[in-house]
Amino acid sequence: MILVTGGLGMIGAHTAAALVDRGEEVVVTAHRRTDVPAFLVDRVAIETVDVADREAFLALGDRHDIGGIVHLAGSIPEADPIPYFRRDSAGLFTALEAARTWGVDRFAVAGSISSYEGRDERPWTEDLALPLAVPPHPIAAFKKAVEPLTLSALAGTAVQPVLLRIGSTWGPLMDPESPFNPVPGTVSAVLRGERPRPLPARGGDLGYAPDSGRAIALLMTAPVLAHLAYNVSSGVPFTAAELIDALDAALPGSGIALTPDADPAGEGPYLDIARLRAETGFAPAFDVAGAVAHYVDWRRENPR
């Protein structure tokens, strides 16, 4: 059985679904979010537990035969990032202790594309040295710190660490008002009958949640992994113009436009996924047009 912390969140739920699709038994933890998406109903075991609650979390091992952990649980920072760092560090340390106590085979943990910020190369590959740069957000800072903490905590054990450098992922279950991607808020406005604000869009990395979840599931179930870190995304960049075209096709007549300073043809940073492809056979199912169309269909029936 594989445990997915934060398994009712956007990436966690799609990871859990992809693991079940591959024949795995899955248990997910839920804490702040308890509504179960339709594609997980009656497919996974759900445990309501705060990952930072050490005693409660370790007790999961008494109820389930857990052989792998995907640690995706996380919280939202306050204005002062210290409580956030303290809270999510406690969750990470508890999950790492559980991995060692239970003797799981693999421990995968969510990192971020933002760890590469400061590198000028395109695309970003896993063998690049991570620069000493101020991360753009406290979440990015924590996810960069996760990597050495995980490697150190699991050193000398039989638990295989898998560092997931997750790209700019969005899709079903994302907070519609999230500041990290303009698509959910834009779609929400159109579906409410409002004129959407211009998109401050630039091109760059495309990670669609169902694809990202499937990539993580493949990394958890591959017979052998040759590396510690894996980029998780589509591996193909998109331009702002392509995003506008996709939104216009899915929401015709909605008047979606770019801000005056946006570069329609500009290509921002994106992740190379050659390593992921070679070791798992992963190929994304969605390009930008397919992702937008799928998401709009989902949102017509679901609040997030």
Side-chain angles (χ1 to χ4, degrees):
M1 174 175 276
I2 296 177
L3 168 65
V4 181
T5 71
L8 298 184
M10 177 182 64
I11 298 176
H14 287 96
T15 299
L19 285 166
V20 173
D21 289 343
R22 294 188 61 76
E24 298 290 333
E25 292 186 328
V26 176
V27 56
V28 306
T29 67
H31 179 44
R32 295 172 184 84
R33 184 179 299 175
T34 57
D35 49 317
V36 182
F39 57 81
L40 281 187
V41 171
D42 296 328
R43 301 185 73 202
V44 300
I46 299 173
E47 291 277 0
T48 303
V49 61
D50 182 353
V51 180
D53 185 336
R54 177 180 176 274
E55 184 175 342
F57 191 85
L58 290 175
L60 295 176
D62 299 329
R63 299 193 292 276
H64 304 282
D65 184 14
I66 297 170
I69 298 175
V70 185
H71 183 54
L72 301 174
S75 61
I76 302 299
E78 302 88 341
D80 177 359
I82 296 298
Y84 160 72
F85 291 147
R86 182 178 294 113
R87 186 169 58 245
D88 277 29
S89 294
L92 172 66
F93 298 154
T94 298
L96 285 166
E97 182 180 359
R100 297 177 4 157
T101 300
W102 301 337
V104 305
D105 296 321
R106 283 183 188 157
F107 180 91
V109 62
S112 171
I113 184 176
S114 295
S115 294
Y116 295 107
E117 288 286 350
R119 302 290 319 204
D120 294 327
E121 297 88 346
R122 301 290 188 270
W124 285 333
T125 61
E126 294 95 338
D127 56 358
L128 291 172
L130 301 186
L132 184 63
V134 177
H137 191 274
I139 292 178
F142 177 73
K143 291 187 180 302
K144 191 170 183 177
V146 156
E147 295 195 5
L149 292 172
T150 296
L151 295 180
S152 181
L154 298 181
T157 75
V159 181
Q160 182 179 24
V162 183
L163 308 177
L164 306 169
R165 294 178 181 167
I166 300 174
S168 301
T169 299
W170 62 279
L173 305 182
M174 188 175 200
D175 178 359
E177 305 308 318
S178 171
F180 298 116
N181 191 283
V183 176
T186 298
V187 172
S188 292
V190 173
L191 295 181
R192 289 193 302 264
E194 302 172 2
R195 186 176 182 83
R197 291 177 295 180
L199 297 183
R202 66 168 179 168
D205 193 73
L206 170 65
Y208 192 55
D211 276 339
S212 297
R214 186 163 52 85
I216 295 169
L218 287 168
L219 287 167
M220 286 300 293
T221 56
V224 177
L225 293 178
H227 296 87
L228 296 172
Y230 293 85
N231 288 340
V232 174
S233 197
S234 69
V236 179
F238 73 96
T239 66
E242 289 173 325
L243 178 59
I244 291 294
D245 288 345
L247 288 164
D248 283 341
L251 299 164
S254 54
I256 301 170
L258 294 174
T259 56
D261 60 342
D263 181 359
E267 189 176 281
Y270 67 100
L271 294 177
D272 176 273
I273 62 166
R275 180 179 292 181
L276 172 68
R277 288 179 182 271
E279 295 188 32
T280 70
F282 172 78
F286 295 92
D287 59 11
V288 65
V292 169
H294 181 272
Y295 180 73
V296 169
D297 286 344
W298 168 266
R299 285 298 308 282
R300 291 188 191 280
E301 303 296 332
N302 297 275
R304 63 184 302 157

